[in-house]
Amino acid sequence: SLIKVDEYRSELNILLPLLLFNLRFYYLLKIKPDYFLTGDIELFNHQPYLLIGRALTLMGLAYLAYILLSNQLFDVDNVYPKISVLSFILGMFLWAFSRRKHEDEGTNQIRVNAMQGSFYAHYFIILLGTATMYSLSYLLFLGLVQFTLLLFHILLLEGLLWKERLALKNEDKPI
């Protein structure tokens, strides 16, 4: 045969779950179109969690930058890189999944669109890295790519919400 499957087995292992999920989703969407309407999304309360999430994210990011610049990342005795990574991930999680002040159906749709876009970008980066990197650089790449899903979700969500607020503000202005 022209294509040897054994040479591309690792790429198939990464792509197959995503392909099966997409096929199953669109099949179920075709046979039950009203079943996949989204209701209320269970989120954290706005008041303490959004602020805590943003603060933890910025503190974790600042300390990660300090650790990288001071070349302490691979210091075995140093527990602070682990704490900063955990605070960064926990902060992004709280930031991404906490309510906004004015949460409605439009915000829920924006949230779903941002999550879908972040999944696409995350898997594109994983596929690109799998196709181009090998050995220890690939392991370092996988360590860094763990942040991309939440990071892209936050960036897309905040960008789309900002765009929506700008459109509403321009709509309210008299001509």
Side-chain angles (χ1 to χ4, degrees), residues 41-52:
I41 300 172
E42 295 294 326
L43 299 168
F44 296 110
N45 291 333
H46 164 73
Q47 191 56 31
Y49 294 109
L50 186 63
L51 183 63
I52 290 171

Side-chain angles (χ1 to χ4, degrees), residues 121-138:
H122 177 73
Y123 272 99
F124 176 75
I125 288 174
I126 288 177
L127 291 174
L128 190 65
T130 301
T132 59
M133 294 183 194
Y134 305 99
S135 185
L136 190 59
S137 63
Y138 184 69

Side-chain angles (χ1 to χ4, degrees), residues 37-44 96-100 102-116 153 157 160-161 164:
L37 296 175
T38 58
D40 288 340
I41 300 172
E42 295 294 326
L43 299 168
F44 296 110
F97 297 110
S98 61
R99 291 192 183 281
R100 301 300 186 253
H102 306 290
E103 190 90 16
D104 59 356
E105 294 85 16
T107 310
N108 282 345
Q109 188 61 41
I110 289 173
R111 191 179 293 276
V112 169
N113 289 343
M115 184 57 81
Q116 181 182 9
H153 176 68
L157 179 65
L160 291 172
L161 287 174
E164 185 72 22

Side-chain angles (χ1 to χ4, degrees), residues 7-101:
E7 293 177 12
Y8 300 104
R9 182 168 287 161
S10 64
E11 285 86 356
L12 289 174
N13 286 340
I14 289 175
L15 286 174
L16 194 61
L18 183 62
L19 179 67
L20 290 175
F21 175 78
N22 278 333
L23 289 174
R24 181 179 177 272
F25 174 75
Y26 285 113
Y27 169 73
L28 290 174
L29 189 62
K30 186 167 179 80
I31 63 171
K32 297 179 183 179
D34 57 339
Y35 183 73
F36 289 99
L37 296 175
T38 58
D40 288 340
I41 300 172
E42 295 294 326
L43 299 168
F44 296 110
N45 291 333
H46 164 73
Q47 191 56 31
Y49 294 109
L50 186 63
L51 183 63
I52 290 171
R54 287 178 177 169
L56 279 174
T57 302
L58 294 177
M59 287 188 319
L61 186 63
Y63 198 70
L64 274 175
Y66 168 73
I67 289 170
L68 288 174
L69 292 175
S70 64
N71 206 11
Q72 298 176 5
L73 185 63
F74 297 109
D75 189 8
V76 177
D77 298 331
N78 198 353
V79 73
Y80 295 117
K82 294 174 187 164
I83 293 172
S84 64
V85 167
L86 287 175
S87 70
F88 183 62
I89 291 175
L90 180 65
M92 284 196 307
F93 181 77
L94 289 175
W95 187 350
F97 297 110
S98 61
R99 291 192 183 281
R100 301 300 186 253
K101 275 185 184 177

